[in-house]
Amino acid sequence: RSATEQFVSTLPPEIAEAVKLNKVVEGMDRDTVILAVGRPRLKSRETKDGIDYEDWVYGNPPGKMTFVTFSGSKVVKVKETYAGLGGSTAPPLPPR
C-alpha cells in the first residue's frame, strides 16, 4: 500500500470517505484538505472576536467556488457557491 493509502486508513471513517470523494468536511486538518482537493488558489487570514481564521479558496469565477475556513489547525466551515454566473440558486423548499 502507498503512503497515502496508509495515511487515509488512519483517519476517522467519515474523513477518509470525504478524502476518497475529493471533498472537504469539518474537522479535517490542512494536510488532509490538501490530500482531498489539492492546494488552494488563494489564502486569506482574519481575526474575529479574538479568534484567528484562515480561509482557503478553491475554484475560479465564473463557476463553482469552495471556501474552506480553518480555526487553529482544523476546518470549522466549508461553503460552496457558484460565483459570477449571473444567476441565483433556488430558494429552499418550505418545510412539510
Side-chain angles (χ1 to χ4, degrees):
R1 294 185 347 163
S2 72
T4 301
E5 289 171 329
Q6 289 177 358
F7 174 72
V8 170
S9 72
T10 66
L11 299 171
E14 64 278 4
I15 291 181
E17 186 64 23
V19 169
K20 290 176 188 172
L21 297 173
N22 298 322
K23 294 189 67 78
V24 178
V25 294
E26 291 179 12
M28 285 182 162
D29 63 19
R30 286 174 174 77
D31 291 337
T32 310
V33 171
I34 290 170
L35 182 63
V37 294
R39 297 201 177 275
R41 178 179 64 83
L42 180 69
K43 293 180 184 179
S44 67
R45 292 177 185 261
E46 67 179 331
T47 301
K48 285 185 192 170
D49 301 323
I51 300 171
D52 293 326
Y53 294 98
E54 183 174 352
D55 287 313
W56 288 11
V57 181
Y58 293 88
N60 291 301
K64 182 180 172 185
M65 304 281 295
T66 303
F67 300 88
V68 179
T69 304
F70 291 90
S71 177
S73 64
K74 299 289 183 186
V75 174
V76 294
K77 182 178 169 187
V78 179
K79 179 181 176 189
E80 292 185 341
T81 187
Y82 290 88
L85 296 178
S88 61
T89 59
L93 295 172
R96 290 184 171 208

